[in-house]
């Protein structure tokens, strides 16, 4: 029943009838991952996808010396691993739980059977993949925009646009966020402090409240023009 409830809340699976949703639920299972645990690793066969129900997952690539590069962050209600699954290939990167994570794991076999019968579901999956591509392109753009101020301002404005609110829940440590923006942790902390001192943002625990979006847009634009 819990699996059916989860599937019923996901826009991705809206085209499914009740019977189809029940069939898909039979090919799903709930999974939990402790902080630091890998949901999957680069090079593993992609036999399914995850829907994040709780926590945050970072998608990373590891260098030979062990250093990691955060490609993007996956939060509650979003999917991970679907691109590799549809290619019937291997995962191009690793997915690691930032904190305690719960997911709904959807097997490729169960999903492919429904996609074959329901073209509308395939279109929705394509739309989800396109959104993920735009998010990744945004991440690359942020890393290329000038200094720390421009990158941080661009990121905050992007999260504000997605969430539709001035209060942003980071959900990750500053170390992870710095890696995502291509900055050193100390650099990120200094820049965030400068934004606070200038009255652009306010820190509320793990939340960041945007107080002057216009000023942040000016900073982001300056970074893009460099």
């Amino acid at each position: 029943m819990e699996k059916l409830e989860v599937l019923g809340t996901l826009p991705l699976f809206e085209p499914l009838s009740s019977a189809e949703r029940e069939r898909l639920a039979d090919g799903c299972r709930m999974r939990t991952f402790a902080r630091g645990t890998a949901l999957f690793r680069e090079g593993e066969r992609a036999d399914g996808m995850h829907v994040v129900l709780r926590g945050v997952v970072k998608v990373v690539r590891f260098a030979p010396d062990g250093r990691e590069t955060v490609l993007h962050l996956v939060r509650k209600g979003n999917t991970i691993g679907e691109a590799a699954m549809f290619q019937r290939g291997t995962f191009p990167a690793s997915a690691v739980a930032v904190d305690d994570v719960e997911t709904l794991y959807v097997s490729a076999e169960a999903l492919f059977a429904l996609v074959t019968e329901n073209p509308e579901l395939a279109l929705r999956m394509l739309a989800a993949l396109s959104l993920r591509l735009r998010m990744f392109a945004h991440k690359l753009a942020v890393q290329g925009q000038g200094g720390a101020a421009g990158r941080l301002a661009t990121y905050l404005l992007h999260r504000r646009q997605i969430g539709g609110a001035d209060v942003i829940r980071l959900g990750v440590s500053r170390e992870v966020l710095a890696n995502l923006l291509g900055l050193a942790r100390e650099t990120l902390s200094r820049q965030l402090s400068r934004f606070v001192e200038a009255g652009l943002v306010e820190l509320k625990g793990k939340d960041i409240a945007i107080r002057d979006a216009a000023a942040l847009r000016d900073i982001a634009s300056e970074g893009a023009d460099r």
Side-chain angles (χ1 to χ4, degrees):
M1 181 60 67
E2 185 177 4
K3 292 186 291 186
L4 281 174
E5 291 176 354
V6 170
L7 292 174
T9 64
L10 297 173
L12 184 65
F13 299 121
E14 283 181 0
L16 297 182
S17 65
S18 297
E20 289 173 328
R21 199 166 290 138
E22 289 180 4
R23 285 174 52 194
L24 182 58
D26 289 338
C28 300
R29 66 178 185 272
M30 308 296 290
R31 299 189 62 182
T32 57
F33 301 88
R35 178 180 179 182
T37 303
L39 283 68
F40 53 77
R41 298 187 182 279
E42 180 180 350
E44 290 182 352
R45 183 173 179 80
D47 291 327
M49 57 177 279
H50 292 267
V51 181
V52 178
L53 305 179
R54 177 171 60 89
V56 179
V57 177
K58 59 181 179 181
V59 179
V60 300
R61 295 290 299 272
F62 291 99
D65 61 3
R67 289 180 300 173
E68 70 174 34
T69 298
V70 179
L71 302 180
H72 58 269
L73 301 173
V74 184
R75 293 179 168 81
K76 178 180 178 181
N78 293 300
T79 57
I80 182 172
E82 67 272 23
M85 180 191 70
F86 274 106
Q87 291 176 340
R88 299 179 183 268
T90 59
F91 293 113
S94 301
V96 180
V98 174
D99 44 20
D100 291 342
V101 167
E102 182 179 10
T103 73
L104 177 67
Y105 180 76
V106 183
S107 76
E109 182 180 2
L111 187 57
F112 286 164
L114 291 177
V115 167
T116 300
E117 301 171 4
N118 192 332
E120 186 177 353
L121 177 58
L123 291 176
R124 283 187 176 272
M125 296 297 295
L126 179 61
L129 291 174
S130 298
L131 177 59
R132 182 66 52 82
L133 180 61
R134 289 199 299 272
M135 292 289 289
F136 185 64
H138 170 265
K139 188 262 181 181
L140 293 178
V142 167
Q143 285 197 347
Q145 286 184 349
R151 298 182 193 187
L152 180 57
T154 301
Y155 175 79
L156 293 175
L157 291 171
H158 182 69
R159 286 293 308 278
R160 176 177 182 258
Q161 181 180 16
I162 292 176
D166 287 331
V167 178
I168 298 168
R169 171 62 59 87
L170 290 181
V172 296
S173 67
R174 291 192 184 182
E175 182 177 359
V176 172
L177 178 58
N179 193 314
L180 180 67
L181 298 179
L183 302 171
R185 185 184 185 282
E186 296 77 11
T187 302
L188 172 65
S189 294
R190 285 196 299 270
Q191 189 57 62
L192 192 55
S193 296
R194 289 168 183 161
F195 280 5
V196 171
E197 293 171 1
L200 307 185
V201 302
E202 179 182 352
L203 301 184
K204 295 184 175 182
K206 294 184 177 181
D207 296 346
I208 297 179
I210 294 179
R211 297 306 182 202
D212 193 339
L216 289 177
R217 281 193 290 270
D218 289 341
I219 293 173
S221 298
E222 291 174 2
D225 291 339
R226 291 177 183 175

